[in-house]
Amino acid sequence: VLNQVPLTEGGPDAIVLVLGRTNADVKTVAATSGVDIGDAFDIVAGSGRVSGSSLKPLALGAALQAGKTLYDAYPAPECIILPDEPGEEVCGGTDTSESLLAATINSINPVFVQLVEELGLSAFRDTAMTAGVSSAAGFATIDSVLGEYPVPMIELATAFRTIAEGNRIAATTLASSPAEPTIAQEIFAPAVKADLDIALRAVITDGTGRAADPGFPAAGKTGTALQLTDAWFTGYTEDLIVSVWVGVPDDPERPLLPPATTEPIVGGTLPATIWRQVVSGL
């Protein structure tokens, strides 16, 4: 699949990480030819890269655990000032009200800013950490829900496995021999897990992740850095957890825009297409 990724000289590359859904096996780590082993390890299991909206399902999970429903509505202004960074604003709203379900399907930033402000940053951070994103310990501002902090691919994939299963399998490793899985305490109650599944399946069938639709049941979430430097699609099928990252490995500041790319790349374009091809071929 990765041999078919359209590249421009000095432009983006891609990395794919595949985990088993119900055990701690790392099944595959693959990268395009422009990624050297040091950069690949850093992105997969080191400092990581900014994850864009990939973390929004964890905020949704925290809200559902706290008693919210998929159909609770929030204002969705076109832009919103970050409450803990008064000089900064983020956009992407619809100038109407949107349910949490619609905000997830269409990745509406202003709704998630308000949601994390209401829940409290610590609640979002704690949910992310217990789901598998250890790097969330460093989340210090509300824009962390928009993916403004770097996250290793293996942590993001582990969190999506927690979403898929409700329980966290804590023993994910990059070792050559499979680790014996250890089931942690329940992270998401069965009803919350079911609602997250509804939302993330709808991302693929009706939302920003349509290009990821493999034609069979699947769930996932797009992620695009606000500065367009990194693009992701992470999700799950009945058997697999797959995370796809696209970016410039040795230049984290370079946006995925021409001339570095042939066309703008966001989570719902090339990463989603690669994800569909991977899950369809395994």
Side-chain angles (χ1 to χ4, degrees):
V1 169
L2 289 182
N3 289 334
Q4 303 171 27
V5 173
L7 302 175
T8 58
E9 186 174 352
D13 280 281
I15 300 176
V16 173
L17 173 65
V18 183
L19 306 182
R21 176 160 165 169
T22 58
N23 56 43
D25 294 354
V26 175
K27 293 183 175 292
T28 302
V29 180
T32 47
S33 59
V35 185
D36 70 37
I37 191 166
D39 286 335
F41 185 85
D42 188 55
I43 293 166
V44 173
S47 59
R49 293 286 287 256
V50 295
S51 59
S53 295
S54 304
L55 298 175
K56 286 175 180 173
L58 296 174
L60 177 62
L64 296 172
Q65 289 279 99
K68 297 289 183 182
T69 77
L70 290 177
Y71 306 100
D72 287 346
Y74 286 77
E78 181 179 349
C79 297
I80 190 170
I81 300 293
L82 291 169
D84 53 354
E85 299 176 82
E88 302 290 332
E89 70 173 6
V90 294
C91 298
T94 59
D95 273 337
T96 183
S97 64
E98 299 285 355
S99 69
L100 290 177
L101 177 60
T104 303
I105 293 170
N106 297 304
S107 205
I108 300 173
N109 290 336
V111 169
F112 278 90
V113 168
Q114 294 170 79
L115 182 64
V116 173
E117 182 184 17
E118 180 181 351
L119 291 172
L121 176 61
S122 61
F124 167 61
R125 183 171 53 222
D126 291 349
T127 297
M129 290 177 66
T130 57
V133 184
S134 299
S135 54
F139 291 178
T141 51
I142 285 174
D143 62 1
S144 56
V145 73
L146 309 179
E148 285 299 282
Y149 292 77
V151 173
M153 289 186 79
I154 198 161
E155 292 185 7
L156 185 59
T158 298
F160 270 77
R161 186 166 55 191
T162 301
I163 290 169
E165 294 296 310
N167 297 312
R168 178 183 170 193
I169 301 176
T172 299
T173 71
L174 290 176
S176 57
S177 58
E180 193 67 29
T182 301
I183 303 297
Q185 77 275 18
E186 179 181 86
I187 305 301
F188 295 117
V192 170
K193 172 182 167 299
D195 279 349
L196 287 170
D197 194 65
I198 288 169
L200 296 182
R201 288 179 186 269
V203 168
I204 289 179
T205 58
D206 301 302
T208 58
R210 288 184 182 90
D213 192 347
F216 53 81
K221 184 69 185 74
T222 52
T224 307
L226 291 177
Q227 293 78 25
L228 300 180
T229 53
D230 301 81
W232 300 71
F233 195 90
T234 305
Y236 55 89
T237 66
E238 182 179 355
D239 302 311
L240 300 171
I241 310 295
V242 179
S243 185
V244 177
W245 169 84
V246 175
V248 182
D250 59 357
D251 189 356
E253 302 299 321
R254 184 179 299 182
L256 299 176
L257 297 168
T261 62
T262 55
E263 58 185 24
I265 295 174
V266 297
T269 59
L270 183 58
T273 299
I274 294 172
W275 193 90
R276 184 191 72 238
Q277 293 171 334
V278 169
V279 301
S280 297
L282 290 176

